[in-house]
Amino acid sequence: MPAIDELFADLIRAGASDLHLGEGQPPKIRRHGDIVPLREEPLGREETEELLSGICSETGWQKFQERGDLDFAYEMDEHSRFRCNYLRQAHGLGAVFRLIPTKIATVEQLGLPPVVKEFCDLRGGLVLVTGPTGSGKSTSLAALIDHLNQTQSRHIVTVEEPIEFVHRSRRSVITQREVPDHAASFPAGLKAALREDADIVLVGEMRDLETISLALTAAETGLLVFGTLHTNNARKTVDRLIDVFPADQQAQVRTMLAASLRGVIAQLLLKRADGSGRVAVNEILVSTPAVGAIIREGATQKLEDVIVGGKQLGMQFMDDAIWEQLRQGAVTPREAYMKAIDKTRFRKFLPPEEQNL
């Protein structure tokens, strides 16, 4: 048994989500958003190398030695799978491991608004699931892909780095490809999907101009494209997609995005007031002719009004979702204030000593 499995077992017992290893400091876990040490004594070079090399292939370890970074997935047993990121840092070697649930949660179990299922019925276009690192984007996307897999007969191609949730083909055929083992890069995997008789493509990360450009083209040509971005709300998502392009191309990109964007699901995780874990809140943008016109004009500041006024279409503004959790007592006023876009709306609920935050 690899030595690191003991630390993974500790993580699972503690109900934590991530394991952090770094030379010169103790092993630490992230539990309900907070990082806590597993022991007092720090990791030395020898122990760190033993822990990391024990679950890594020879070629992977060689790549890590050469590049100083490595991403892969590790399956400890049928119930425990981890996304692994190895890195070099100021004090030596380091790594971060994210526990990936092997059982895929449903849209209902995750508490996602029902309207997100309607995105699965689309026959083309771009749907973005966004949020900061660790906000559950992959988990929400896995729920959508699983819903498609159980209800529709389509060919779904995923391009991921690494493959996180493993899907078994049910009504649909699911082809999962990992960067760089199965496809050299996200753009290469996306280009190949266009030749693979795909109906739906999931792009694990849309982080560069080429990937975003190809995703927009694929969405325009009739594929349903799901992608992720590290943005906190719908407005920032639209701005980020356009800002990636040089200024002389942005007008054309706005036109393409206006035509192909079908929806944005932005997600944040808030600590529960009772300390029992975290609760997801979502902003939902559903594309309408008004949304298309706003994107073409470049007037993204108007999107907030469209979302607030689009409740009957299933739209939801992030601050309203946070407010609902605060109203129910699920989160503290401070947590709501820290995650809100409009801080003034929540400041009055803070204790008097925190009013000047």
Side-chain angles (χ1 to χ4, degrees):
M1 180 179 92
I4 201 168
D5 281 6
E6 286 184 33
L7 293 176
F8 288 151
D10 290 341
L11 175 146
I12 291 161
R13 274 194 294 272
S17 59
D18 300 80
L19 171 67
H20 290 251
L21 300 182
E23 251 184 85
Q25 54 184 306
K28 295 172 183 172
I29 55 172
R30 185 183 290 277
R31 186 171 179 271
H32 305 334
D34 294 322
I35 291 184
V36 292
L38 281 174
R39 68 184 199 200
E40 284 185 22
E41 73 206 78
L43 292 162
R45 166 57 66 105
E46 203 175 307
E47 187 183 6
T48 309
E49 278 199 356
E50 184 194 350
L51 290 169
L52 301 192
S53 62
I55 58 166
C56 185
S57 67
E58 270 185 51
T59 51
W61 188 250
Q62 198 176 334
K63 268 187 204 169
F64 174 50
Q65 300 291 348
E66 290 164 8
R67 297 192 315 217
D69 275 298
L70 183 70
D71 288 294
F72 66 100
Y74 168 66
E75 200 163 289
M76 182 171 80
D77 55 42
E78 60 182 297
H79 306 295
S80 312
R81 186 176 164 82
F82 294 86
R83 185 180 75 200
C84 315
N85 172 248
Y86 286 10
L87 55 116
R88 289 192 182 281
Q89 41 104 3
H91 302 289
L93 305 180
V96 180
F97 304 88
R98 162 69 50 84
L99 176 63
I100 305 164
T102 46
K103 191 173 187 313
I104 298 169
T106 64
V107 168
E108 290 80 12
Q109 285 166 342
L110 294 175
L112 291 169
V115 70
V116 302
K117 280 188 175 178
E118 293 175 21
F119 293 136
C120 295
D121 298 329
L122 296 166
R123 282 293 179 262
L126 179 64
V127 176
L128 297 166
V129 178
T130 75
T133 304
S135 59
K137 297 185 295 293
S138 301
T139 307
S140 294
L141 265 175
L144 292 176
I145 296 299
D146 190 57
H147 174 70
L148 278 162
N149 190 17
Q150 294 191 54
T151 58
Q152 300 187 29
S153 304
R154 319 279 284 279
H155 182 205
I156 303 166
V157 176
T158 77
V159 186
E160 304 169 75
E161 184 189 12
I163 291 169
E164 295 189 31
F165 292 88
V166 177
H167 296 269
R168 286 166 184 79
S169 298
R170 289 183 179 139
R171 281 191 64 184
S172 288
V173 173
I174 299 194
T175 304
Q176 292 187 265
R177 306 192 69 206
E178 185 163 297
V179 174
D181 292 346
H182 309 144
S185 63
F186 281 110
L190 197 41
K191 274 181 196 164
L194 300 172
R195 301 187 295 271
E196 289 161 2
D197 187 34
D199 301 295
I200 297 161
V201 181
L202 183 153
V203 188
E205 213 166 307
M206 290 171 55
R207 58 185 170 208
D208 58 67
L209 188 150
E210 192 181 2
T211 307
I212 292 168
S213 181
L214 282 166
L216 284 170
T217 304
E220 274 198 321
T221 55
L223 280 174
L224 177 55
V225 180
F226 288 94
T228 69
L229 277 171
H230 292 283
T231 45
N232 289 1
N233 57 49
R235 179 186 172 180
K236 283 182 186 169
T237 300
V238 173
D239 288 340
R240 173 75 58 84
L241 283 175
I242 292 160
D243 289 345
V244 163
F245 291 84
D248 62 335
Q249 293 178 30
Q250 288 184 2
Q252 182 194 349
V253 171
R254 276 199 291 269
T255 303
M256 286 176 75
L257 187 60
S260 60
L261 185 67
R262 295 290 175 268
V264 177
I265 305 163
Q267 185 158 305
L268 294 174
L269 290 181
L270 276 61
K271 291 180 195 173
R272 289 185 182 275
D274 61 6
S276 65
R278 292 188 286 177
V279 60
V281 289
N282 297 95
E283 177 164 295
I284 308 289
L285 171 70
V286 179
S287 193
T288 62
V291 169
I294 284 168
I295 294 171
R296 275 192 301 275
E297 287 168 24
T300 53
Q301 70 278 5
K302 295 179 183 174
L303 284 176
E304 184 181 318
D305 292 338
V306 172
I307 295 169
V308 171
K311 284 183 181 168
Q312 72 280 9
L313 297 173
M315 294 201 223
Q316 183 169 279
F317 184 50
M318 184 63 82
D319 281 1
D320 290 343
I322 294 171
W323 164 249
E324 189 54 33
Q325 295 298 332
L326 178 62
R327 194 183 65 76
Q328 292 174 17
V331 302
T332 64
R334 182 177 175 81
E335 183 69 0
Y337 173 84
M338 295 303 288
K339 296 288 169 71
I341 298 163
D342 178 8
K343 306 286 187 198
T344 53
R345 178 175 174 183
F346 293 89
R347 185 177 280 122
K348 60 182 179 238
F349 299 105
L350 291 170
E353 65 273 14
E354 294 181 11
Q355 291 280 336
N356 59 354
L357 274 176

